[in-house]
Amino acid sequence: MSEADTSPSSASPKSTVRKAADKSARTRAREFALQAIYQHLVGRNAPVDIDAFTRDLAGFHKADSVHFDALLHGCIAEAEALDALITPRLDRPMVELSPIEHGVLWIGSYEFQHCLDVPWRVVLNECIELAKSFGGTDGHKYVNGVLHQLASQLRPVEVAAAPATRGAARKPAP
């Protein structure tokens, strides 16, 4: 596990906001990738144009450009396959998802499949933080539910080996 994926992150206005200087290069790459994927989903802009535009944005030089490339181009290239993975876990039609939730789910699904150096819990946490930062009020809860199911499917050994999360092993009421 790299340092870039272990630092806590929170951009929710109600919690302690992490300073931009504290963000890892991979966290920044995910943020820029989400913005780029949003342009693809909403504007149907060409990936090469989105890529060039995004690289010119302030702060991009602090992002992990290799991870950004993998996420942006990988998610767009595998859009149909990613949607096929995601759709059975949705409680509504894909067209009813916000473009932010859709993009975050692409990023999480892609990382589960192709970024095996990133632990599944890190992928899950980073995607929840993306949804909190850029999405609607409770979008992060929805993203959490869908990606948790996908983690069990795409990384079953890693998920099974993970210790139970807080609250999962509660004692039954007397």
Side-chain angles (χ1 to χ4, degrees):
M1 179 180 340
S2 70
E3 173 277 325
D5 284 318
T6 58
S7 59
S9 92
S10 176
S12 174
K14 295 177 187 170
S15 64
T16 304
V17 178
R18 222 169 74 173
K19 294 180 195 172
D22 294 341
K23 291 182 182 178
S24 73
R26 282 220 172 154
T27 294
R28 291 174 192 272
R30 289 179 187 97
E31 291 175 350
F32 283 111
L34 179 59
Q35 292 173 54
I37 289 168
Y38 181 90
Q39 288 182 44
H40 173 74
L41 289 169
V42 173
R44 293 292 172 201
N45 300 328
V48 68
D49 295 335
I50 295 169
D51 192 324
F53 173 81
T54 304
R55 288 175 185 280
D56 283 340
L57 293 174
F60 185 84
H61 67 284
K62 294 180 182 178
D64 179 339
S65 61
V66 173
H67 199 63
F68 167 80
D69 285 339
L71 294 176
L72 172 62
H73 297 288
C75 287
I76 291 173
E78 296 185 18
E80 198 172 305
L82 294 173
D83 283 346
L85 277 170
I86 295 164
T87 300
R89 286 150 188 85
L90 302 178
D91 63 355
R92 62 188 94 161
M94 181 71 77
V95 296
E96 291 182 14
L97 284 182
S98 78
I100 294 296
E101 289 171 348
H102 195 170
V104 171
L105 290 172
W106 273 5
I107 289 171
S109 301
Y110 184 86
E111 284 197 275
F112 282 151
Q113 291 183 296
H114 301 286
C115 303
L116 302 179
D117 61 318
V118 183
W120 76 274
R121 286 189 193 255
V122 172
V123 172
L124 186 65
N125 183 61
E126 289 284 325
C127 288
I128 290 167
E129 293 302 325
L130 281 172
K132 284 180 180 178
S133 296
F134 297 99
T137 304
D138 286 332
H140 68 283
K141 294 175 184 176
Y142 193 75
V143 164
N144 180 27
V146 173
L147 287 179
H148 203 89
Q149 291 176 50
L150 279 171
S152 296
Q153 176 191 346
L154 299 173
R155 300 231 190 140
V157 173
E158 190 179 351
V159 171
T165 57
R166 286 176 280 160
R170 290 186 182 142
K171 294 179 183 177

